[in-house]
Amino acid sequence: MQPDAAPSRSPLAKATAARHQRDWSQKKPQAPRNMSPMAARVVGLDTRSPRSSSVSPKPTRLVSSRQRWAHSVCSKSELEAALQDDSITAIETDLIWSTTQSAVVHAHPPQTESDLPFDAFMDAVTTSPQRKHIKLDFKSQDVVQPVVWGLEKYYARALQARGQHVWLNADVLIGPGSSSCNFDADAFVQSCMRHRAFSSLSLGWTVDVGLGHSYSVDHVAALRSLLQRHKLLGDPRLAISANLRMAL
């Protein structure tokens, strides 16, 4: 979908873009191998809780998973329809960095452009008369830190006041039939855990939905090891995302 002409940018959009374009004067942590140039720049972002307009309410338990979902909401028209649908209780959307738009946008690869930037999405869901929970499905690691930082700085108070929950989701481990993963699992968990006052982690595996593949003991063991390293075993706010077609 081709984006509309660029409107005036919100403070969040400007801050997010600035963090991508910042000229790093201090030595940053070395990026892992096979990380994209954009992701390498984001590794050094300051992810400490911002002092201005930030909030750190007590963490809440994971809300019920029994939601009526609108999936892959990645355009203004789809978002408007989901917000106006009384039967929808939660919205799932995909996030990616658009090089051409210099912004975090809602799009599902291979699409890299959208008429729905991240700040416009959040403005809409936090001001809509109807409350909808949100699942943010990250498609690349380079947008994780800017997004969770922006959520806390600009939207945490509204999310808490409205009782809206956010799932931070990514396929962080190699799963059935897959040979690669776009995420550093530990880095993703660490980034999201810094801002969990209003959100829950949702972790999954990359999969190939072809026939003959299923989850193995090794897949489960890799997830368990990840959870142990970050002291998340038994955490009531944790969700596990699995493709049921691969579990049969």
Side-chain angles (χ1 to χ4, degrees):
M1 177 176 295
Q2 293 296 321
D4 297 333
S8 57
R9 308 186 79 183
S10 71
L12 172 58
K14 292 178 181 178
T16 303
R19 281 172 169 255
H20 275 272
Q21 298 168 0
R22 182 178 299 168
D23 182 16
W24 310 110
S25 58
Q26 299 178 355
K27 185 177 181 180
K28 301 299 176 181
Q30 186 175 0
R33 293 182 179 180
N34 301 323
M35 180 174 281
S36 69
M38 179 60 69
R41 296 189 69 182
V42 178
V43 165
L45 285 176
D46 178 7
T47 56
R48 295 171 297 176
S49 297
R51 297 177 181 177
S52 175
S53 302
S54 64
V55 61
S56 296
K58 293 182 179 180
T60 56
R61 294 179 62 87
L62 183 65
V63 299
S64 172
S65 60
R66 295 186 176 183
Q67 305 292 330
R68 186 176 293 274
W69 291 90
H71 288 283
S72 195
V73 175
C74 294
S75 69
K76 289 182 178 179
S77 60
E78 291 171 340
L79 177 59
E80 182 178 354
L83 291 174
Q84 293 179 353
D85 190 334
D86 293 339
S87 67
I88 298 297
T89 61
I91 296 173
E92 184 267 343
T93 183
D94 304 307
L95 287 166
I96 198 167
W97 176 261
S98 173
T99 302
T100 57
Q101 294 174 260
S102 296
V104 178
V105 300
H106 294 262
H108 191 288
Q111 298 297 321
T112 59
E113 293 185 351
S114 173
D115 67 349
L116 184 59
F118 173 60
D119 57 303
F121 175 90
M122 289 303 304
D123 285 347
V125 297
T126 55
T127 59
S128 172
Q130 292 194 9
R131 185 190 72 176
K132 312 285 185 180
H133 299 299
I134 309 157
K135 182 178 181 180
L136 302 178
D137 191 355
F138 295 93
K139 295 303 182 184
S140 61
Q141 186 148 343
D142 56 347
V143 300
V144 176
Q145 292 184 3
V147 165
V148 294
W149 174 85
L151 282 173
E152 180 168 353
K153 183 172 178 63
Y154 293 99
Y155 297 105
R157 291 187 184 278
L159 291 167
Q160 182 192 24
R162 290 166 58 90
Q164 285 176 281
H165 197 75
V166 181
W167 284 270
L168 303 175
N169 179 81
D171 295 330
V172 298
L173 297 168
I174 296 176
S178 177
S179 60
S180 63
C181 178
N182 293 329
F183 287 84
D184 178 321
D186 291 289
F188 178 79
V189 171
Q190 289 170 353
S191 295
C192 294
M193 285 182 66
R194 291 188 176 99
H195 306 278
R196 292 191 66 199
F198 50 84
S199 64
S200 296
L201 277 172
S202 174
L203 306 175
W205 298 262
T206 60
V207 299
D208 182 342
V209 295
L211 297 177
H213 302 302
S214 62
Y215 291 102
S216 69
V217 172
D218 289 340
H219 294 136
V220 177
L223 177 61
R224 180 180 177 84
S225 178
L226 174 66
L227 299 181
Q228 285 179 323
R229 290 196 298 275
H230 298 279
K231 300 180 180 180
L232 288 171
L233 283 176
D235 192 317
R237 296 166 294 162
L238 177 69
I240 304 301
S241 177
N243 190 319
L244 293 182
R245 286 178 292 180
M246 318 298 288
L248 300 179

